[in-house]
Amino acid sequence: MTDSEPTTPHQSHPRPVSDTPSETATHSTPAPAYVWRGAFANPEVNVLHAQGFDHPPLDIDWHTQVHRHSLGWVCARRGEELVGFVNVAWDGGVHAFVLDTVVAEGARRTEVGTRLVAAAVDGARAAGCEWLHVDFDDHLRAFYFDGCGFTPTNAGLIAL
């Protein structure tokens, strides 16, 4: 970041990050670009979310939701196609929360998810957050702990 760039949490920072050369050599498609607070359309996030969380596409107004309640989000695009998305909610202070990490079926197991989370870490850190939290289903332990660098911690949950 240069001295002339604003540092507010809601600033849009294009943060293109390419996949490793060895990955791009094995794929005929271009490497994704990862953009903090990137542009998206509700229907494309709804379709991606439905794929990732195994439900029919819903009509959720993601644009309004993330602009009202989130520190930021990361969009991963391969060309014009949205291949990944993660929402980063926050408490308005030093705690941010990873929510709704999702990767398109055709882009899974190509490091898109880990790079989405890495861009979320960068965005939260740049906004002055000191902690990034995540909760997840058991089958995602290796992804978040080994792949993304989170450490286990005690936490509590009440179903509402």
Side-chain angles (χ1 to χ4, degrees):
M1 182 180 296
T2 66
D3 291 339
S4 64
E5 291 178 320
T7 57
T8 62
H10 297 291
Q11 174 192 353
S12 178
H13 288 289
R15 295 183 187 272
V17 179
S18 297
D19 284 336
T20 61
S22 61
E23 272 190 60
T24 56
T26 61
H27 298 289
S28 60
T29 56
Y34 300 82
V35 181
W36 175 249
R37 296 182 65 83
F40 65 87
N42 286 324
E44 64 184 344
V45 176
N46 282 321
V47 167
L48 192 62
H49 196 273
Q51 268 186 21
F53 292 95
D54 196 29
H55 62 76
L58 304 173
D59 188 22
I60 297 171
D61 184 355
W62 287 96
H63 190 269
T64 298
Q65 181 177 316
V66 299
H67 279 87
R68 283 187 185 163
H69 304 292
S70 297
L71 172 67
W73 55 91
V74 181
C75 293
R77 290 195 179 274
R78 196 170 264 142
E80 294 297 313
E81 180 188 6
L82 185 68
V83 295
F85 181 85
V86 64
N87 183 12
V88 182
W90 72 321
D91 66 351
V94 298
H95 295 269
F97 307 84
V98 170
L99 300 171
D100 297 310
T101 306
V102 63
V103 176
E105 288 175 314
R108 294 180 188 159
R109 303 204 184 338
T110 62
E111 296 187 14
V112 170
T114 55
R115 291 173 186 274
L116 274 170
V117 173
V121 168
D122 290 346
R125 184 177 287 127
C129 291
E130 296 175 13
W131 300 99
L132 184 61
H133 304 260
V134 67
D135 65 354
F136 48 82
D137 292 331
D138 285 341
H139 72 278
L140 295 170
R141 289 177 66 82
F143 170 73
Y144 283 108
F145 292 154
D146 302 335
C148 298
F150 283 90
T151 57
T153 184
N154 291 329
L157 179 67
I158 296 175
L160 302 176

